Amino acid sequence: MQLAARMARLGTESAFEVLARAEALRRAGRSVINLGIGQPDFPTAPHIVEAACRALRDGHHGYTDAQGILPLREAVAAHLREQTGAEVSPERILITPGGKVAMFFAMLACGEAGTEIVYPDPGFPIYESAIAFSGATPKPYALHEDLGFSFRAEEVLARIGPATRLLILNSPGNPTGGVADPEELEALIRGLERHPHVAVLSDEIYRRIAYDGRQPASLLGAPSLADRLIVLDGWSKTYAMTGWRLGFSVWPDRLVEPAVRLAINDHSCVNAAAQWAGIAALEGPQDAVERMVRAFDERRRAVTQALREIPGLRCATPLGAFYCFPNVSARAPSARALQDALLEEAGVATIAGTSFGRFGEGFLRISYAADLDVALEGVARLGEFLADRAS
Ligand code: PLP
């Protein structure tokens, strides 16, 4: 049996491997603290669960419109208007089984051999994987620790050339918790006016998980990008619905038909009951979201502080998402070796920065989507592990 050559270009997301290893150690009786996980540790709010049950009882058992049921797309449009002030027609909204699918579709629609796609490093590992799979050449740009893991506009613009088809932005970002510096973002949007052939994929899946009263801007507010902007968002993180597989994206007019065609070829439509639950999430009470973000904020402060108390570690203040990205380079030459030893010897699951690109060397991703005491116990184990190794 022979695999297609393109399969060699498809990467993976090591968070899933770390999760499997952590579970195996747990089954073997080891105490394992999981700070590797990329999903909220909260249940979906009961009114959302009830809406899905009701949809099933009401007979929503069949295929739906491939683009997503109209009432859901209308609810997304109303939500975007309220959140960002942008007027987005439901005709431009695509509902997918998770935001990740829209990411893949953007690469497949734009990338091919001989073209380039520019993306953040450290960044969500599926960007590079899907870019390479499409045949395009992945062109990373760096996120900078000293800028709170923002990009520098001039560096991003310098990566763009005649073969560039797509630029990916992600703020707040995975794995860093960084938010794009507003001045750099403005300079980038201005600079992109010189490159009208480049589409932009703005991954805004963590937009509503932000701290210190800062709501990161949606690129939907940038009129100069309107005819070439894809926005990816969804319910997974904001509404603690990762297992429901429900995401939405906004496409420019020219890409709507190709994106829907990809959906028809790929999955036909999204689970009908999940779509009705998505309406309840957007239109119902938002107090569960607010409570979750407040809990994340408390943990963010405590975990960042605890990491900074470990000798030799630095930790930028994360402004969004639910990750800290401490710099461990003074204590560990290889982030991957530290990730493995920490899990096997100290029972703490984290993800090496290198899982997110080569600029992630020297960093660990610590998720605080875990109970505060548990997260602090994990950081204490990291401190003890490093102290033992030093002695
Ligand atoms: N974008 C980023 C940056 C993410 O971290 C994730 C999930 O971890 C996604 C998109 C996709 O989320 P989902 O497919 O669950 O909507």
Side-chain angles (χ1 to χ4, degrees):
M1 197 170 69
Q2 199 174 338
L3 276 180
R6 78 175 79 85
M7 286 306 294
R9 302 197 301 267
L10 193 65
T12 186
E13 199 180 331
S14 48
F16 287 99
E17 286 161 28
V18 171
L19 194 62
R21 182 67 192 140
E23 280 309 313
L25 287 171
R26 241 183 218 150
R27 275 198 304 278
R30 293 276 306 278
S31 143
V32 177
I33 291 183
N34 193 349
L35 306 182
I37 196 97
Q39 63 180 343
D41 56 319
F42 293 85
T44 305
H47 69 278
I48 302 175
V49 176
E50 179 48 34
C53 296
R54 199 179 324 115
L56 288 172
R57 282 196 301 269
D58 288 351
H60 293 288
H61 301 168
Y63 292 127
T64 74
D65 181 340
Q67 198 169 345
I69 56 173
L70 184 60
L72 178 57
R73 287 185 285 122
E74 285 171 344
V76 170
H79 166 78
L80 290 173
R81 187 180 312 118
E82 185 214 310
Q83 286 271 313
T84 71
E87 282 299 333
V88 175
S89 153
E91 299 309 313
R92 290 175 50 212
I93 294 167
L94 174 64
I95 307 298
T96 47
K100 212 180 210 177
V101 175
M103 193 182 292
F104 220 80
F105 286 2
M107 307 316 173
L108 290 180
C110 297
E112 62 187 320
T115 69
E116 296 171 353
I117 297 181
V118 177
Y119 69 102
D121 178 350
F124 190 50
I126 301 307
Y127 300 148
E128 185 183 354
S129 167
I131 294 167
F133 191 72
S134 79
T137 303
K139 295 282 250 184
Y141 63 84
L143 300 180
H144 295 283
E145 185 186 11
D146 63 347
L147 261 187
F149 293 106
S150 174
F151 53 79
R152 290 205 164 88
E154 64 184 40
E155 289 178 5
V156 179
L157 292 165
R159 302 296 276 159
I160 292 176
T164 307
R165 287 271 176 88
L166 183 68
L167 163 66
I168 303 175
L169 301 172
N170 173 217
S171 173
N174 177 8
T176 64
V179 167
D181 179 272
E183 282 174 23
E184 297 294 336
L185 183 60
E186 222 185 285
L188 180 63
I189 293 170
R190 254 195 329 272
L192 283 170
E193 287 175 22
R194 295 198 307 275
H195 304 285
H197 65 293
V198 177
V200 175
L201 169 63
S202 181
D203 181 343
E204 302 183 0
I205 197 104
Y206 294 102
R207 191 174 51 79
R208 289 178 66 197
I209 304 178
Y211 310 108
D212 298 338
R214 269 178 264 211
Q215 180 79 265
S218 167
L219 282 203
L220 285 170
S224 63
L225 297 179
D227 61 351
R228 49 181 164 139
L229 174 68
I230 305 164
V231 171
L232 178 163
D233 201 334
W235 287 260
S236 283
K237 318 286 177 177
T238 311
Y239 294 99
M241 291 176 69
T242 50
W244 294 69
R245 308 315 298 132
L246 190 64
F248 68 81
S249 41
V250 178
W251 296 76
D253 286 331
R254 191 155 161 248
L255 287 181
V256 171
E257 188 277 332
V260 175
R261 200 152 23 104
L262 280 162
I264 290 169
N265 276 269
D266 182 65
H267 55 265
S268 299
C269 68
V270 174
N271 176 307
Q275 295 191 58
W276 288 98
I279 299 176
L282 295 176
E283 293 183 347
Q286 303 295 303
D287 51 320
V289 181
E290 285 150 23
R291 259 199 316 279
M292 180 181 76
V293 175
R294 270 202 302 277
F296 282 152
D297 190 14
E298 186 191 2
R299 298 169 189 177
R300 170 184 78 114
R301 291 162 194 271
V303 169
T304 305
Q305 178 63 28
L307 285 165
R308 285 177 179 159
E309 283 167 11
I310 299 176
L313 259 58
R314 271 202 314 261
C315 186
T317 304
L319 296 178
F322 36 71
Y323 310 109
C324 286
F325 204 58
N327 185 326
V328 295
S329 59
R331 303 297 303 273
S334 155
R336 177 59 201 257
L338 178 60
Q339 169 204 290
D340 292 344
L342 201 55
L343 179 55
E344 302 296 329
E345 296 170 36
V348 187
T350 59
I351 315 269
T354 39
S355 298
F356 305 95
R358 107 187 137 78
F359 296 127
E361 184 56 284
F363 295 88
L364 275 188
R365 189 187 80 172
I366 307 250
S367 162
Y368 47 86
D371 192 73
L372 178 58
D373 292 340
V374 173
L376 288 176
E377 164 67 16
V379 176
R381 285 193 198 181
L382 166 64
E384 283 156 24
F385 175 81
L386 291 172
D388 285 351
R389 277 220 314 202
S391 61

